Every structure is written in structure tokens, then in C-alpha cells.
Amino acid sequence: MGFSEVGVTSKLHSKARSSGGGTVSVSHHSPDSARVPAIWGRVPQRNNNFTGRAQLLRNLHESLMSNVAAVVPHALHGLGGVGKTVLAIEYAYRYRSEYDLVWYIPADQPMLVKSSLAGLARELRLPISASAKVEEAAEAALDALRRGDPYEKWLLIFDNADEVEEINTIAPRGPGHVLITSRNHSWQGVVPTVPVNVFPREESVEFLVKRVGQGITEAEANQLAEALGDLPLALEQAGALQVETGISVEEYLRLLDEETTRLLGTNKPTDYPLSMSAAWTLSVQQLTARMPKAVEVLRCCAFLGPEPIPRDLFQRLPADYAEGSKLAEILADPILTSRVIRELGRYALVKIDSGNRTIQVHRLIQALLRDDLPKTEHAAMRGEAHLLLAAAVASFEPDDNAAWPRYAALLGHVSPAGVHHSSDARTRRFALSIVRYLYSSGDFKSAQTLVELFIAQWQADSGPDDYSVLAAQRHQAIIIRELGGHRGVVRAQPAADEPHARRARRRSRRDAAAAEQPWRRPAVPW
């Protein structure tokens, strides 16, 4: 859905009932194709090449269903690249006929969790005031889930939840189910965990035969699986490369062996399997030869977050953002941009979700891309990512609630992209717009966290009298005032006091606009 409101499910629900199509279409994997959840929110598209894991899915389902007296969260735990997220998504699709509500939550950044839960509160049409803060809306959603009102049969998926204590505190205990994916071993001592390992050999072979088709025999698939250590993400890379280039298994294994030997010779410490590094390198080499511009876009994506990236981010840059951008020429041609993204998807280097109009790069591939790029080029490529983010909301006011979905779609990329390290006036203007969006939409705590980060970094980089520092401090003052004058203390406000709430919101907007009036004129007008 790109920058449009994500998670709205009534249209999807209607479409599924009338045509069986859309992002909620039911395939042969589902045990009951007659029933669709009333609310189906933000769940990524199903992997059409999903293979195996049948016993794992059954065990998970039985474990969740057996805890009738005291339902507790369950965690899928394993290393990067083993398919934890894919498994959780498959579970949601396969067993969705047993739920009235299914909601997917990106959980690797706390502010994204609260924002997603606030979105769920809106979907549930809970009786909260129009001026309710994100914290209040999120708590209202959690309370409704705990009580099972209006739905007792619900499923929440917290994806990439590595902050154990924080997510365990948020995850509701109630009549429904909570499914967590994480690389953090600490979940094992907190909730029931289901280990997700590499494929058993027979599932590796099954996957490759399904992915490649007639271009591979079972014996060749067995050889390839052995060389790649049965890691699902590496197998997907290898399968996609064979489909797109027609490379023989023999030739692929020869190149893989050469690349593995080269990587071993570098003695570079890595947090990812050597087989994955080698398979990824071969894919990028082939794509570079075929379409080098696609690799440039991919490298830029490596400096964004691992969350879904709105497809609309890759549009023609405005003139004042195109200046100095390496990607401006590519993005100025919509047909070329579409070809680039299509090639990245065909090589399995990005996941394309056409229903939600996003693309996504696995965090493991992002790490490999950054590791492969010379350190001297990191700042320039990170700057490209910053320009894409800044340009995406350049003409949208952060206190206009019609623009909030657009800002919300970018929120998960602000910290991973290292926006606070930028000295570019355009990027800093974007950073303060994100802060203003957060407190305008009622998420004062997240706004406070970010603005404090920006002030500390910008003071260190540019000095205390820099314009962006002074503007950020004015926004900080607004946030502190709205929190009741003391950081971290939320001022109580009766829901019925609507006139007061409206006056407070108008005052915040007025003061935010004043905060952006220059004390001295900057190089780029704000």
C-alpha cells in the first residue's frame, strides 16, 4: 500500500469474500478456505515457494491451542536466514480460519510497536478520544485484547523482537495468541520457545526442485544443499540465480567453492554463515553484470531499516533533493526504476509485496552489502538513503493527520539509517519533521527519545549555536511541556475535556511552527 493507510482490512475482507483474491486469498495450504478473519492487519504477503516445516507448524499450533487455562506468548527462535518470519507468516495464513483478528507488528524498534498497536485500536473502533495519545491508544488496544472484547480469537505476531523484557511486558495475556520471532536466545527462559533451524536435507532438496523446476535434479539439489549448509535464505539466493541466468549446478558449485575459498582467505569476522556470504556474492556479481544500476539501488536500501520500504520512496526526486544524488538519474525514469526493482526481486535480493506496495531487504543481506562496500563509500550511500527519506515527505506537513500514514511508513528507517549523524540541512529538516509528526500524533515519548538523540549528536557535530540544534531544542520544550513539565511524566487529561485537548493541539501546532522560524537564516530555508 506504499504510503497509504496500512492495516485497514475491511476492504480486504470484502474482497476476499467476493472474489477470493487480494492479499487475503486462500491457497491450498489453508485447512479452512471458507472463513477469513474480520481484521487482517499488516500481515506481509505469503511466500509462494514455502516448503516443508509441516511438523514444526503442527507442533506450534498444538502448543498454542493447548494452553487454554493460561495463554502465554510463544517464540520462534533461531539464527538469521533460517526463515523465522516466513514461518510465522505461513502460520498466520494456514490457520487464519481459526482467528477473528490477526495483526502483524514489526518489533525491533519500540516506537514501531506502540504505533502499530495504536493502529489496531483504530481498526477496533475503540471508544477513545480523537486527541488520544499513541500510548493511550496502544494501551486501549491491549486492554481490549486481554478482555477478549470484541474478539476472543486473536493472533498477534511480534516480528524480530530482540528486546525481551520490553516486548514481554507489552505482549498481552488473554484469550488469544501471541507469536514472537527473535534471534535473541534469552526468550528461552521467558516463554515457551520453538527452535527454528536450517532445513532438513529432504526439505532443502524439495525447496530447490520446487524453486528451480526442471533445471535441477534431486541429486544436484542435494549437492547444492550440502554446499550451502541447508540455510533457507542461501538456498533461495541460489535458486533465484539459476532461474534467472540458467547457470548449471556444476558451474554454480565451482564458483561457490572459489568464492568460499576467497572469503576464508580474507579472515574477516562475520555474524553470518560463510555459505550465505558466498551465495550472496555470486548473485550480486551476476546482477552487476546484467544491470549495475540495480545494485546501486540495492546498496542504498542496505542503509535503510530492515522494515518494509514504501515503493513510493523510489520516485523522481524534487530538484533541490536531486542535486548531488547518484540515484537521481535512475529515479527520474519510472520505467527504469520499475525494471530495477523487478530485477532485484527476480534475484531474490529484495522481497516485493505488491499488495502493500513495499519492498524489503533481509537484514542479513543488508549486513552483507554494507560489509562489502568500502568504508570510504558508506557516508555517501547513507546520504542517498537520507535524501530518499527526506524527499518523500518534503511537501507534507507533519501535523496534518492525512499525512500521518506517510510519516508512519518511514518511522522504522529513521534510526537504522543513522539520520542523526547527518549534517545536511535537508536531512535535519526531515528529522525534525519526524519529531513533530510523533508529538502531533500523540507519541510524546518516542518524540522525546528522538529529539534528545538529535540534539546530542548535532551539538557534538555542529556546536550548541547551530540553527538545527536551536530548532530541535524548541521542539524539545514543546514535548516537555506536553508531558507535564517533567520528562517521562505524562500529564493526565480527562478524555471528556475535548475543548482543552483541541486547544492543546492547536498550541502545539502553533509552537511547532514557531520553532521552525529561523533565529538566523540557514543555508537551506526551513
Side-chain angles (χ1 to χ4, degrees):
M1 298 180 188
F3 287 123
S4 61
E5 182 70 65
V6 293
V8 177
T9 59
S10 57
K11 292 181 180 178
L12 294 179
H13 184 56
S14 173
K15 187 175 182 181
R17 287 191 181 279
S18 62
S19 67
T23 52
V24 293
S25 60
V26 180
S27 78
H28 65 278
H29 290 298
S30 177
D32 182 0
S33 60
R35 188 170 178 275
V36 177
I39 293 181
W40 177 263
R42 310 186 184 203
V43 183
Q45 281 185 338
R46 197 177 201 172
N47 187 337
N48 290 331
N49 294 313
F50 186 87
T51 302
R53 307 292 202 192
Q55 190 59 51
L56 199 58
L57 285 164
R58 280 195 296 271
N59 291 346
L60 176 61
H61 182 249
E62 290 171 6
S63 181
L64 283 167
M65 293 297 173
S66 66
N67 289 283
V68 177
V71 176
V72 295
H74 282 59
L76 297 173
H77 168 263
L79 300 174
V82 296
K84 300 180 295 296
T85 297
V86 173
L87 186 64
I89 293 169
E90 178 63 24
Y91 178 89
Y93 277 90
R94 190 169 295 197
Y95 294 104
R96 65 182 167 183
S97 63
E98 300 181 21
Y99 297 100
D100 295 317
L101 181 158
V102 178
W103 198 262
Y104 171 88
I105 301 171
D108 59 346
Q109 296 181 58
M111 70 179 71
L112 299 182
V113 175
K114 292 297 179 68
S115 177
S116 180
L117 288 169
L120 176 56
R122 290 191 293 272
E123 272 302 293
L124 291 169
R125 293 181 170 84
L126 298 179
I128 53 178
S129 68
S131 60
K133 301 177 178 65
V134 165
E135 291 272 345
E136 295 169 358
E139 185 53 46
L142 291 172
D143 182 61
L145 294 171
R146 293 186 193 103
R147 291 184 290 106
D149 182 17
Y151 301 112
E152 292 186 349
K153 297 177 180 180
W154 50 259
L155 171 66
L156 293 191
I157 299 174
F158 289 86
D159 193 24
N160 289 308
D162 291 335
E163 297 296 328
V164 176
E165 185 174 345
E166 184 156 6
I167 298 302
N168 190 45
T169 300
I170 294 172
R173 272 64 171 176
H177 298 151
V178 173
L179 187 54
I180 296 164
T181 75
S182 180
R183 294 167 296 168
N184 192 334
H185 295 270
S186 300
W187 280 108
Q188 291 177 319
V190 179
V191 299
T193 58
V194 179
V196 183
N197 299 309
V198 299
F199 275 147
R201 179 57 50 82
E202 61 272 17
E203 290 186 3
S204 294
V205 172
E206 180 187 353
F207 173 82
L208 286 169
V209 170
K210 181 178 180 180
R211 183 71 174 85
V212 180
Q214 296 181 348
I216 192 170
T217 67
E218 288 194 7
E220 289 173 329
N222 187 70
Q223 286 182 285
L224 201 53
E226 175 70 28
L228 293 171
D230 297 296
L231 183 70
L233 187 60
L235 294 172
E236 171 64 17
Q237 293 277 295
L241 188 64
Q242 287 185 270
V243 169
E244 293 307 315
T245 66
I247 186 173
S248 69
V249 172
E250 182 181 8
E251 177 66 6
Y252 185 91
L253 289 171
R254 183 185 68 79
L255 293 173
L256 190 70
D257 184 60
E258 289 179 0
E259 184 58 31
T260 302
T261 301
R262 186 190 70 79
L263 289 170
L264 284 170
T266 63
N267 292 317
K268 291 170 67 175
T270 64
D271 295 325
Y272 27 83
L274 194 62
S275 61
M276 181 64 223
S277 302
W280 165 83
T281 301
L282 294 182
S283 294
V284 171
Q285 286 174 351
Q286 293 290 328
L287 183 59
T288 302
R290 178 167 175 164
M291 182 178 272
K293 290 181 179 179
V295 178
E296 286 300 302
V297 173
L298 182 64
R299 284 175 177 152
C300 178
C301 292
F303 289 90
L304 293 168
E307 306 303 330
I309 304 166
R311 173 63 176 83
D312 293 343
L313 204 68
F314 303 97
Q315 291 185 339
R316 182 191 298 270
L317 294 174
D320 50 339
Y321 288 87
E323 184 179 351
S325 169
K326 292 181 180 179
L327 300 183
E329 182 181 350
I330 299 172
L331 300 180
D333 184 343
I335 296 176
L336 175 59
T337 302
S338 294
R339 284 182 55 214
V340 161
I341 292 175
R342 186 169 62 248
E343 288 297 301
L344 292 174
R346 288 169 65 176
Y347 278 75
L349 293 167
V350 305
K351 176 186 175 184
I352 299 174
D353 188 333
S354 56
N356 289 317
R357 297 200 68 246
T358 62
I359 70 170
Q360 190 170 13
V361 186
H362 194 284
R363 64 185 67 237
L364 199 54
I365 293 177
Q366 286 182 314
L368 288 162
L369 283 160
R370 293 192 298 267
D371 193 48
D372 184 63
L373 195 67
K375 295 291 185 183
T376 53
E377 298 181 28
H378 278 211
M381 195 54 72
R382 186 179 289 111
E384 293 283 345
H386 294 167
L387 285 180
L388 292 186
L389 293 170
V393 290
S395 58
F396 294 85
E397 290 297 325
D399 56 5
D400 178 5
N401 57 9
W404 289 353
R406 198 173 187 90
Y407 279 93
L410 304 182
L411 190 58
H413 301 284
V414 173
S415 295
V419 165
H420 57 290
H421 287 296
S422 178
S423 59
D424 188 302
R426 296 166 295 184
T427 304
R428 288 188 175 183
R429 182 167 65 238
F430 163 72
L432 292 182
S433 291
I434 286 289
V435 170
R436 188 171 166 184
Y437 149 70
L438 284 169
Y439 70 70
S440 294
S441 62
D443 192 352
F444 292 101
K445 289 187 177 180
S446 295
Q448 183 181 56
T449 299
L450 280 184
V451 80
E452 288 177 352
L453 173 65
F454 296 154
I455 290 171
Q457 188 64 53
W458 295 349
Q459 279 183 331
D461 294 342
S462 307
D465 297 326
D466 180 75
Y467 170 76
S468 55
V469 173
L470 299 176
Q473 288 173 334
R474 286 190 173 189
H475 285 292
Q476 183 185 40
I478 296 168
I479 295 165
I480 291 174
R481 185 195 67 204
E482 293 301 320
L483 285 172
H486 302 282
R487 292 188 300 176
V489 179
V490 180
R491 184 174 61 200
Q493 177 175 299
D497 192 8
E498 286 301 319
H500 174 80
R502 285 196 295 271
R503 286 196 299 273
R505 290 170 69 84
R506 283 198 298 270
R507 186 172 66 243
S508 291
R509 286 196 292 268
R510 183 188 64 236
D511 292 351
E516 296 182 2
Q517 295 301 313
W519 288 9
R520 60 170 184 258
R521 185 172 297 279
V524 176
W526 288 22

